[in-house]
Amino acid sequence: MLTIGKLGAQARVKVPTIRYYEQIGLLPEAERSAGNQRLYSRKALERLAFIRHARDLGFTLEAIRDLLSLSDNPEQSCAAADAIARAQLAEVESRLARLTALKAELERMVVQCAGGKIADCRVIEVLGDHGHCMADHHRPVDSV
Amino acid sequence: MLTIGKLGAQARVKVPTIRYYEQIGLLPEAERSAGNQRLYSRKALERLAFIRHARDLGFTLEAIRDLLSLSDNPEQSCAAADAIARAQLAEVESRLARLTALKAELERMVVQCAGGKIADCRVIEVLGDHGHCMADHHRPVDSV
DNA sequence: CTTGAAGCTATAGTTGCTAGAGACATTAGG
DNA sequence: CCTAATGTCTCTAGCAACTATAGCTTCAAG
């Protein structure tokens, strides 16, 4: 049995984050020691590793909740999990496209800034005028 | 003079967002009509367009605050604005790299899911096991 | 002159954590 | 065995950057 600190170290998840996951029901309530400290099994570590990995891949906690409920009921069809992963892939591809356009524009801005005064600064100028845009990146680029 | 709704439409910024920007001091307090409604000049529209564009490019509100104070003092050197833009570019490049790795893994997951039962589903399996990772994307991928 | 859209303020909610306070538990060293 | 340091507990509040709701007032069109 692992204490919360060891668990966090093994899964590379911070301790308050683990407690937060328990609070929102993503992790079951942990067993407790005589002194009321949380104790975790190897199974709990696997579940947390699953969550950590899915977060790294950009899944929201809601999507992870779905995936976990799928893996808790392994007799169902794989289609649902597949759909979640496909949706996630589409999202990632869209973000990639927008980020690429965005990178081009930032590079253009930086190159054009010739080290003069603000008054001539292309960074400021480009930011002030949509007409200078080369690409259609005009949708919120919020989260990976 | 524009009402807040017209301003929002022209800059493609939602009305509550404009009020929020005023509240946090990113926009100056607007003039008011006799009936206490906010009125905006063309200058205000430009400032809001600047913010909108910078947000699209992924600048934080804090970075935008800095850029705006630079553009309010056009006699200074351009170096600070350039530094902000360069930092943003570096951030975007790092996100691009991680997203690309992530996309590869999601594709692999989707391909491997052959439409069977969850018990054989690679989506779940890959997410549960860091050993399956092909790329080093194991850093928080939080925001674009 | 009426009615419906648009505006106002204020507050609370969102996502995914992170940080702090103050109290109790555990462990390593002397 | 005692103590000091570290770890853990609960609870609350805070972060970014909005978004939504409620309950009101104002404005513009017909």
Side-chain angles (χ1 to χ4, degrees):
Chain A
M1 287 305 216
L2 301 164
T3 59
I4 197 170
K6 312 288 180 194
L7 179 75
Q10 294 217 21
R12 267 123 75 237
V13 174
K14 286 180 191 145
V15 168
T17 304
I18 298 171
R19 290 197 277 245
Y20 168 72
Y21 287 163
E22 177 179 316
Q23 191 192 308
I24 64 169
L26 210 56
L27 291 176
E29 292 197 9
E31 288 179 61
R32 298 301 181 113
S33 71
N36 198 35
Q37 302 197 345
R38 289 175 181 80
L39 293 178
Y40 295 92
S41 63
R42 185 130 293 270
K43 236 174 126 61
L45 172 57
E46 279 165 28
R47 193 178 179 96
L48 184 56
F50 182 106
I51 295 170
R52 162 77 211 261
H53 199 174
R55 288 294 297 136
D56 280 352
L57 287 170
F59 290 88
T60 65
L61 293 183
E62 263 329 289
I64 293 170
R65 206 187 286 277
D66 291 348
L67 286 169
L68 281 169
S69 85
L70 291 170
S71 83
D72 289 343
N73 303 29
E75 284 319 300
Q76 301 173 39
S77 157
C78 176
D82 187 56
I84 294 170
R86 277 182 198 280
Q88 197 62 26
L89 179 57
E91 181 62 24
V92 163
E93 280 170 346
S94 140
R95 285 172 186 176
L96 261 176
R98 279 181 283 154
L99 265 182
T100 303
L102 194 157
K103 174 173 181 286
E105 181 151 1
L106 281 170
E107 276 169 345
R108 206 164 50 82
M109 280 170 52
V110 166
V111 163
Q112 289 181 346
C113 180
K117 301 277 186 197
I118 295 279
D120 320 306
C121 183
R122 303 291 295 175
V123 171
I124 299 283
E125 187 183 331
V126 167
L127 282 175
D129 183 1
H130 285 248
H132 282 96
C133 286
M134 301 177 78
D136 173 34
H137 59 86
H138 286 278
R139 296 157 53 205
V141 178
D142 20 77
S143 124
V144 173
Chain B
M1 286 304 214
L2 303 164
T3 59
I4 197 169
K6 311 288 179 195
L7 180 74
Q10 294 217 22
R12 270 125 71 235
V13 174
K14 286 179 192 148
V15 167
T17 303
I18 298 171
R19 290 197 277 247
Y20 168 72
Y21 286 165
E22 177 179 317
Q23 190 191 308
I24 64 169
L26 209 56
L27 291 176
E29 292 196 9
E31 287 178 63
R32 298 299 181 114
S33 73
N36 197 37
Q37 302 197 345
R38 290 176 180 79
L39 292 178
Y40 296 93
S41 62
R42 184 131 295 270
K43 237 175 124 60
L45 173 57
E46 279 165 28
R47 194 178 178 94
L48 184 55
F50 182 106
I51 295 170
R52 164 73 213 260
H53 197 174
R55 287 293 297 136
D56 279 352
L57 286 170
F59 289 87
T60 64
L61 292 184
E62 263 328 289
I64 293 169
R65 205 186 287 276
D66 292 346
L67 287 168
L68 281 169
S69 84
L70 291 170
S71 81
D72 290 343
N73 302 31
E75 285 318 301
Q76 301 173 35
S77 157
C78 174
D82 186 57
I84 293 171
R86 278 183 196 279
Q88 190 62 23
L89 178 57
E91 181 62 25
V92 164
E93 282 171 344
S94 138
R95 285 173 186 174
L96 261 176
R98 279 181 284 156
L99 264 182
T100 304
L102 193 156
K103 175 173 178 287
E105 181 151 2
L106 280 170
E107 276 169 346
R108 205 164 51 82
M109 280 169 55
V110 165
V111 164
Q112 288 181 349
C113 179
K117 301 279 184 196
I118 296 278
D120 321 305
C121 181
R122 305 288 297 175
V123 171
I124 299 287
E125 187 182 331
V126 165
L127 281 174
D129 184 0
H130 284 246
H132 282 96
C133 287
M134 300 175 78
D136 173 33
H137 59 87
H138 286 278
R139 298 157 53 207
V141 178
D142 20 76
S143 118
V144 172

